[in-house]
Amino acid sequence: MGHTIYEWVYIGVVVGILIWVGADSWLVEKHLEEIPEEATTIRVVAQQWFWTFEHPDGTKEVGELHVKAGKAYRFEVVSKDVIHSFNVPYFVMTMDAVPGRVNKIWFAPAEPGEFLIQCREYCGLLHYQMRAKLIVEA
C-alpha cells in the first residue's frame, strides 16, 4: 500500500506552511531584537523598591523617566539586589533585571503621554509599591 498523490500534496502543503510561519516569526523576532544604532542608552537600575534611570549625560531620575517622542531608546536593565522585571504595560515592554547581568531592550515612543512603569516580578514585601512614571514629551 503506497501513498496516493493527494497525501504527498497534503504533506507538501503542511510543510510549506510551517516553513513560511517559521521564517516570518524569525523575521519579526530579528526586527524586535535589532536595536537602532541612533538609540539613546538609558541605564535602568532596579532595587527594592524603586527604579533609578541614568541618562548618558550623567543625569539621574528616581521614580520618573522623561523621554522624547519620536526617538529610539535602548534600556540597559540591571539590578542591585534581587530579581525584578522592568515593565511598561502600554508599550508591551518587559525585561528582567537580574543581579550581575545587563539585559537590553529598546523602544521608540511615537506620541506624548504619561505611562506606568512597574515591576512584574515579586521582589519582596513592598513589591506592589515598585512603580514609576514614564513621561513621553513632545
Side-chain angles (χ1 to χ4, degrees):
M1 299 183 88
H3 296 284
T4 66
I5 188 73
Y6 299 112
E7 290 172 327
W8 287 111
V9 169
Y10 176 77
I11 289 169
V13 168
V14 169
V15 168
I17 289 172
L18 290 174
I19 289 171
W20 177 70
V21 169
D24 200 45
S25 298
W26 180 79
L27 285 173
V28 168
E29 188 171 328
K30 183 176 179 240
H31 174 71
L32 291 175
E33 291 181 358
E34 277 186 17
I35 300 171
E37 289 183 24
E38 72 276 6
T40 301
T41 300
I42 296 175
R43 187 172 171 88
V44 178
V45 181
Q47 70 183 87
Q48 292 176 320
W49 290 276
F50 61 95
W51 299 100
T52 303
F53 306 98
E54 299 173 10
H55 294 270
D57 63 358
T59 308
K60 290 185 180 179
E61 296 182 275
V62 177
E64 220 174 70
L65 172 62
H66 291 81
V67 296
K68 301 247 186 246
K71 287 188 66 179
Y73 293 91
R74 166 189 163 154
F75 297 109
E76 292 181 350
V77 183
V78 300
S79 173
K80 283 190 170 179
D81 42 36
V82 298
I83 297 174
H84 300 274
S85 184
F86 177 68
N87 175 240
V88 184
Y90 185 82
F91 293 104
V92 194
M93 183 171 60
T94 300
M95 181 53 68
D96 286 341
V98 180
R101 286 178 48 186
V102 178
N103 290 329
K104 298 172 186 110
I105 191 168
W106 73 278
F107 89 130
E111 48 193 66
E114 287 189 15
F115 308 96
L116 171 70
I117 297 172
Q118 63 184 7
C119 180
R120 281 197 64 167
E121 184 74 36
Y122 180 71
C123 57
L125 187 62
L126 299 178
H127 160 73
Y128 69 95
Q129 289 184 344
M130 192 167 173
R131 295 173 178 234
K133 192 184 303 182
L134 170 65
I135 300 169
V136 180
E137 301 168 343

